[in-house]
Amino acid sequence: MRYLPLTVSDRSAMLATIGASTIDDLFIDVPESARLAGPMAGLPLHAPELAVDRHLSALARKNRAAGDGPFFLGCGAYKHHVPASVDHLIQRGEFLTAYTPYQPEIAQGTLQVLFEFQTQVARLFGTDVANASMYDGSTACWEAIVMARRITKRGKAILSSGLHPHYVSVAQTMARFTGDVLDTAVPALVAETDTARLIDLIDAETSCVVVQYPDILGRIDDLSALVEKAHVNGALLIAVVTEPVALGAITSPGEMGADIVVGEGQSLGVGLQFGGPYVGLFGCKDKYVRQMPGRLCGETVDAEGKRGFVLTLSTREQHIRREKATSNICTNSGLCALAFSIHMTLLGERGLRELAALNHELACIAADRLAQIPGVRVVNDSFFNEFTIALPQEARPIVRALADAGVLAGVSLGRLYPGVESLKNGLVVAVTETTTVEDIEALATALTGALA
């Protein structure tokens, strides 16, 4: 069974129509050195569908799923329990098959869902307004930086050392095209965040300061002093939240005065999904709403006084001239936003707070237990459901050894910051409501053995 539906004559006719003699002519702009000279070594040209299915299934069985044993990975993607009703509802045909509402006022169901989503994100972040979602957390972070550039007419952003290195990498890639100057640093294995450093760096050229809350090491800091210094100098404070469940327990960035709050919504409704798709969250103060990327759904009444929904703002290049667009990342993750919204609705405010309390309680149990292991030091003096431990030896081989023993122990900082000697012994451990006391004990026992 072949996978390509076109015959040789079909392809020849298509090539003749566009004036090309061979398929290779279509790739004339690709340098010869970048093209394959022949079939890829070790990859068969084709195989029967059943054989391919069996082969891929065998490869998949080599993976270790998050639910197969003790799981402590985090650093921006978290294993939470997603109620079965979330998946059931998002697979309804009217949701699953819906696409961008190019005739928005006809798509009242889609607009209402996005309106409710915006309300939930704004309340969670403590911002005046939120948009109808972004591509993911890392690109939302970059969009906030260029939004600050538009507002302040400045091009220097100061990034906290506690910002996820993948988010930093995305910003650095995009800044190559905009000319923004990014002041970055790597974290230290200490309990204190780098708030004092950030305050000292803010000057009249600064467009924004970007901090993660809680940060990559799980540390939590009061943002108020940083907000004050930024505002005195005409800069904006951007807060990045990679674990939205934390805001069920700690003060939201918006309440502390953050101008823009962005983040990753994967924790609620979406699941780990092998790395995607995820959903970016974006909120800001009302006075900056017209500089906000993405789209915004609003509530109104029709001619008969009935409640209705409209696409209030849509500053995307799909809708307006490219040079006028606030963003050319045109994706809003509608289905993932719906999953987020359904999960949030099922929880409610009380449920979210209870979920957050359970996460923190289990994380405290884990931190106390791991601190009892000889040579292990808990770095944090504050955290939500994620904290960092310093091991007496390099963390990456330890993580591999524990994985071989059936325990996914956490994310080594040596993996996130390759080549940074001061961080190679660091291990970030995430604990959620899916973690049991038995899982924690299994991690402690395995870690003790690996360090012996």
Side-chain angles (χ1 to χ4, degrees):
M1 175 180 175
R2 295 189 61 80
Y3 309 119
L4 301 177
L6 300 177
T7 65
V8 173
S9 59
D10 290 335
R11 288 192 288 273
S12 297
M14 294 169 68
L15 289 169
T17 299
I18 62 175
S21 57
T22 68
I23 289 178
D24 288 341
D25 291 344
L26 304 179
F27 302 94
I28 193 169
D29 293 326
V30 179
E32 194 76 34
S33 59
R35 302 187 215 172
L36 289 173
M40 293 180 67
L43 186 69
L45 292 178
H46 63 85
E49 182 180 359
L50 181 60
V52 172
D53 182 67
R54 286 172 175 165
H55 179 65
L56 292 177
S57 296
L59 292 177
R61 283 193 291 271
K62 295 181 179 181
N63 291 332
R64 182 172 183 81
D68 288 348
F71 183 91
F72 297 91
L73 276 63
C75 285
Y78 302 93
K79 182 192 172 192
H80 289 285
H81 171 68
V82 178
S85 51
V86 173
D87 194 49
H88 175 76
L89 289 172
I90 68 172
Q91 292 192 57
R92 287 180 60 94
E94 57 265 57
F95 289 134
L96 191 62
T97 62
Y99 189 56
T100 299
Y102 289 111
Q103 294 177 290
E105 281 64 47
I106 295 175
Q108 284 295 293
T110 297
L111 292 186
Q112 181 171 357
V113 164
L114 294 178
F115 182 81
E116 302 295 349
F117 167 83
Q118 292 169 180
T119 304
Q120 290 168 329
V121 173
R123 291 193 62 185
L124 189 67
F125 280 175
T127 55
D128 297 326
V129 64
N131 71 12
S133 83
M134 302 294 287
Y135 184 68
D136 63 9
S138 61
T139 49
C141 176
W142 167 250
E143 291 291 343
I145 293 172
V146 289
M147 177 175 164
R149 178 192 180 99
R150 289 194 299 271
I151 293 169
T152 65
K153 305 297 191 292
R154 302 172 183 176
K156 186 180 81 170
I158 302 172
L159 277 53
S160 167
S161 64
L163 180 62
H164 197 301
H166 294 171
Y167 285 45
V168 174
S169 180
V170 168
Q172 289 173 328
T173 297
M174 300 300 291
R176 290 166 50 201
F177 304 100
T178 64
D180 284 78
V181 175
L182 305 180
D183 189 313
T184 65
V186 297
L189 284 178
V190 296
E192 299 78 22
T193 65
D194 65 343
T195 297
R197 179 186 75 89
L198 298 175
I199 289 175
D200 288 341
L201 287 173
I202 299 172
D203 58 23
E205 302 300 317
T206 304
S207 67
C208 62
V209 181
V210 185
V211 295
Q212 185 170 318
Y213 176 83
D215 75 1
I216 188 63
L217 303 187
R219 301 171 300 190
I220 302 169
D221 203 1
D222 188 339
L223 305 180
S224 301
L226 196 53
V227 168
E228 182 179 355
K229 179 64 183 296
H231 289 173
V232 165
N233 286 269
L236 304 186
L237 192 286
I238 299 170
V240 178
V241 179
T242 62
E243 171 54 298
V245 176
L247 300 182
I250 61 178
T251 304
S252 69
E255 290 179 76
M256 288 185 280
D259 299 285
I260 305 173
V261 186
V262 300
E264 174 56 63
Q266 170 273 324
S267 282
L268 292 167
V270 180
L272 291 171
Q273 306 288 353
F274 298 98
Y278 286 167
V279 53
L281 311 178
F282 199 112
C284 68
K285 291 182 176 178
D286 187 63
K287 62 182 177 180
Y288 301 131
V289 67
R290 291 191 174 277
Q291 291 297 333
M292 184 169 62
R295 68 178 92 167
L296 189 71
C297 296
E299 180 184 356
T300 187
V301 293
D302 63 16
E304 299 176 357
K306 296 179 181 178
R307 185 189 192 207
F309 301 91
V310 294
L311 199 57
T312 306
L313 288 175
S314 195
T315 55
R316 309 188 315 158
E317 64 179 25
Q318 285 181 327
H319 299 87
I320 63 178
R321 293 197 307 275
R322 174 173 293 185
E323 63 273 15
K324 296 291 186 180
T326 58
S327 169
N328 61 7
I329 300 177
C330 293
T331 301
N332 91 290
S333 301
L335 200 64
C336 293
L338 174 63
F340 177 99
S341 189
I342 293 172
H343 196 171
M344 281 284 284
T345 302
L346 291 170
L347 286 169
E349 181 177 344
R350 178 178 174 181
L352 179 64
R353 293 190 184 281
E354 290 176 352
L355 176 63
L358 179 57
N359 274 244
H360 181 60
E361 178 185 356
L362 288 165
C364 288
I365 293 172
D368 290 344
R369 178 64 182 90
L370 296 178
Q372 297 172 8
I373 301 174
V376 173
R377 173 176 63 90
V378 176
V379 172
N380 306 57
D381 57 15
S382 65
F383 58 87
F384 170 60
N385 68 351
E386 189 169 34
F387 56 88
T388 301
I389 57 176
L391 305 180
Q393 53 189 275
E394 187 177 356
R396 294 193 79 172
I398 298 297
V399 169
R400 170 51 55 194
L402 266 61
D404 292 340
V407 177
L408 297 179
V411 179
S412 62
L413 290 177
R415 175 186 170 192
L416 291 178
Y417 300 93
V420 180
E421 188 73 16
S422 61
L423 295 176
K424 69 177 185 178
N425 291 11
L427 179 66
V428 182
V429 178
V431 180
T432 71
E433 76 282 357
T434 65
T435 308
T436 66
V437 174
E438 291 76 18
D439 290 339
I440 294 170
E441 188 57 39
L443 170 61
T445 300
L447 183 58
T448 300
L451 294 175

